[in-house]
Amino acid sequence: MSAYKRRDFLKLSSLSALPLIASAVPFNTFASEKIQPLSKDSEAVYFINDGIFYRPEDFINKLQEINTTAPIERDSYGEGGAIEKLLKKFIEITGKEAAVYMPTGTLANQLAISVLCGDNTKAFVQETSHVYRDEADASQTLFNKRLIPLAEGKAHFTVEQLKKSVNYHKEGEVFVAGVGTISIETPVRRCDNQAFPLDEIKKISAYCKEQGFKMHLDGARLHMATAFTNTTVKEYASYFDTVYMCLYKYLGATGGAVLCGDKAVIDQMPHLIKIHGGGIFNNWPSAAVALHHLNAIDETMEKIKIKSKELFDQFNQLKGIKVSPIENGTNQFNVLLDKGIDPVKLNTRLRGEHTIVFGLPQKDGFVKIKVNATLLRRDNKLILDSFKEAIAFAKA
C-alpha cells in the first residue's frame, strides 16, 4: 500500500504532521526539532503526491491566470461553459463517443459498473482496487451488484485467473447469476502505483468480448500509466467500454471526475447522477483548472519522467541514499536510507531549509516517494544540493 494516502497530504503540509511523525519514531528523537509550515507552498517540491494540490491562495491565483488568458465560462449542473470544453477534450484523448462530469470518482465507478452490468449481478475486480476497498461497499448496498475480488494483495490479475474464477462461480452455484462487468484499475494506489500490464489487459479484453462481458477502467491515475509505459490514454481506453478519469490527482482541480464511453451508456448518466444527489450547480472552477493542466499533461508527464530519472541517477551516487524503481511501476519509487541517517532530522531539514517535503521509512524499511509536477519547479542541481546538505545535517 502506498505510504501516503491523499488525506495525509494535508497532514504533511502543516504543523499537524508532527503527531504523524511522532507515531513512527521515539519521542526523544526530535526533541530539538520543530516542523514548520512551508512559507511558499507554490515553490515547494513534494515527493508525497501524484500531482499539484493547490492551497486556496495558489488556486485562486491560477484561476485568475487562466481567466486572463481566456475568460472562463460558467456551467450549469455540469453542462455548458468550462465543463463542455473539458468534456470535449476528454472525448478527444480517450477516443470515446461521449463524456459526462461527475462530482466524485466513486460515483463514476459505481454508476459505470451498474449500467454496464445491466441485469447481471457479478462484477470482477482487483482485490486491491479502489472499487473494492475504498467505496464503502456501494456496489452491494446501493446497486445490487456483487463484487468478486481477484489477485489478493497484488496489482493485477491474469486472464487465466479471471477465467478460473468465472468458471468456478458458474459451476459452483445452484442459481447462477450472470457476469456483467470486469473492472480494472491502473495504476493501483494500494500497490505503490503499479500499472496493470497492458499486454494482460489486451488478453482480458479479447476474452471479455468473446463472453459478452463489459469492461470498465478506473483510470484515476491513467496519465501516469501512459507516461511510464510509453503508451497513450486512447490505447488503454480502446479495450474498455467506459473510462473514469480524475480531475484533482494531477490536474489541479478541487474535485470532480469525468466518465467517458459509448453515447448509449453516457446518456443514462445525468438522471442517475441526479437521483444519487450528485448534481452540482456550478463546477467551472475545477473544470477550468483541470482543462488548463490537461492540455499539456502528456508533455508535463514526459518531463517529469525524464527529470526524475536524471535526479535519481544523481541521488544514487550520493552516500547514504539509494533510489530504486518498483516492478511495473509508474511515478512511485523506493528510497533506502543508511542507518546512520536520522529520517526525522532529514525530513525536518528538507522542509524547513529547502521547502522539500519528503517522507519517512515504512514497515519494509523504504521511504515511498512519488514524482509529480512540483519536481519541475526546481533545477535538479538545487534539489541534489539540498539533499546533500540535509543528509549531512541528519548524520550529525
Side-chain angles (χ1 to χ4, degrees):
M1 179 177 172
S2 174
Y4 296 110
K5 298 179 182 178
R6 55 181 177 267
R7 298 175 184 87
D8 292 330
F9 165 77
L10 296 175
K11 298 177 183 177
L12 287 166
S13 299
S14 67
L15 287 170
S16 61
L18 192 58
L20 181 69
I21 293 176
S23 65
V25 296
F27 181 78
N28 59 8
T29 300
F30 56 98
S32 60
E33 303 298 334
K34 293 183 179 180
I35 296 178
Q36 300 297 327
L38 296 174
S39 58
K40 193 73 172 177
D41 184 67
S42 59
E43 297 177 0
V45 175
Y46 284 89
F47 284 97
I48 63 170
N49 303 316
D50 288 321
I52 297 174
F53 287 3
Y54 289 111
R55 289 186 179 181
E57 180 182 1
D58 296 321
F59 186 83
I60 292 168
N61 289 338
K62 179 57 69 174
L63 269 182
Q64 290 176 331
E65 174 191 321
I66 295 168
N67 190 60
T68 299
T69 304
I72 301 169
E73 300 175 24
R74 65 180 180 179
D75 68 295
S76 177
Y77 290 104
E79 294 184 355
I83 285 286
E84 183 177 345
K85 294 178 181 178
L86 180 69
L87 296 181
K88 285 181 178 179
K89 185 63 178 178
F90 270 111
I91 289 170
E92 175 189 331
I93 67 174
T94 61
K96 296 301 184 185
E97 291 181 343
V100 62
Y101 172 85
M102 296 197 188
T104 70
T106 294
L107 189 61
N109 281 332
Q110 294 298 326
L111 290 184
I113 291 171
S114 176
V115 170
L116 291 179
C117 275
D119 292 333
N120 296 308
T121 58
K122 290 187 178 73
F124 289 81
V125 300
Q126 295 135 292
E127 186 272 338
T128 54
S129 67
H130 194 280
V131 167
Y132 188 71
R133 299 286 295 274
D134 299 295
E135 298 186 3
D137 293 336
S139 291
Q140 297 92 317
T141 57
L142 293 178
F143 300 100
N144 299 315
K145 304 305 177 188
R146 177 183 173 191
L147 298 184
I148 299 174
L150 299 170
E152 181 178 349
K154 299 185 181 300
H156 77 278
F157 53 85
T158 66
V159 67
E160 294 304 323
Q161 289 173 319
L162 174 60
K163 289 179 181 179
K164 183 178 179 180
S165 187
V166 168
N167 292 335
Y168 170 82
H169 286 86
K170 280 184 178 179
E171 297 169 2
E173 297 179 358
V174 177
F175 301 100
V176 181
V179 176
T181 307
I182 313 302
S183 176
I184 288 176
E185 175 184 337
T186 190
V188 184
R189 176 182 64 81
R190 284 181 171 272
C191 293
D192 296 335
N193 276 5
Q194 286 180 292
F196 198 118
L198 187 57
D199 285 345
E200 203 63 49
I201 287 176
K202 293 177 182 179
K203 295 175 187 176
I204 292 168
S205 176
Y207 166 69
C208 287
K209 282 183 171 62
E210 291 175 0
Q211 300 298 314
F213 304 154
K214 300 296 184 180
M215 289 187 65
H216 170 66
L217 175 59
D218 179 343
R221 297 169 172 82
L222 188 56
H223 271 105
M224 295 169 195
T226 62
F228 287 87
T229 59
N230 300 310
T231 185
T232 65
V233 169
K234 190 173 291 186
E235 166 77 0
Y236 273 98
S238 67
Y239 302 106
F240 295 85
D241 297 279
T242 53
V243 181
Y244 143 60
M245 300 187 76
C246 181
L247 299 187
Y248 71 85
K249 286 182 172 61
Y250 45 80
L251 296 180
T254 59
V258 169
L259 181 70
C260 305
D262 293 341
K263 190 174 185 299
V265 173
I266 301 302
D267 281 351
Q268 299 179 53
M269 297 300 169
H271 174 72
L272 295 173
I273 293 169
K274 183 64 177 178
I275 64 174
H276 287 284
I280 308 296
F281 179 44
N282 283 154
N283 308 275
W284 57 266
S286 283
V289 171
L291 180 60
H292 170 78
H293 289 290
L294 187 62
N295 283 327
I297 191 64
D298 290 327
E299 294 85 351
T300 299
M301 287 292 179
E302 187 65 20
K303 288 178 182 177
I304 294 167
K305 183 175 70 171
I306 294 171
K307 194 171 192 290
S308 62
K309 184 182 185 307
E310 293 174 350
L311 179 63
F312 296 156
D313 285 345
Q314 294 171 334
F315 272 10
N316 286 336
Q317 295 176 27
L318 297 178
K319 290 185 178 180
I321 184 170
K322 177 70 174 178
V323 184
S324 57
I326 293 170
E327 184 180 4
N328 293 326
T330 56
N331 71 319
Q332 187 164 317
F333 299 80
N334 285 331
V335 178
L336 188 64
L337 301 174
D338 281 359
K339 292 182 180 180
I341 297 174
D342 185 322
V344 174
K345 282 188 175 182
L346 178 65
N347 275 270
T348 303
R349 192 70 172 182
L350 286 171
R351 171 188 287 271
E353 297 297 323
H354 306 287
T355 59
I356 295 174
V357 181
F358 193 52
L360 292 169
Q362 301 302 297
K363 291 181 179 179
D364 60 2
F366 291 109
V367 179
K368 310 288 186 177
I369 64 169
K370 297 179 180 180
V371 294
N372 52 62
T374 66
L375 190 64
L376 305 180
R377 293 172 171 174
R378 203 170 305 176
D379 184 79
N380 273 356
K381 184 180 184 305
L382 293 177
I383 298 174
L384 185 67
D385 288 344
S386 295
F387 271 85
K388 287 180 180 178
E389 192 280 333
I391 287 172
F393 173 84
K395 287 180 178 179

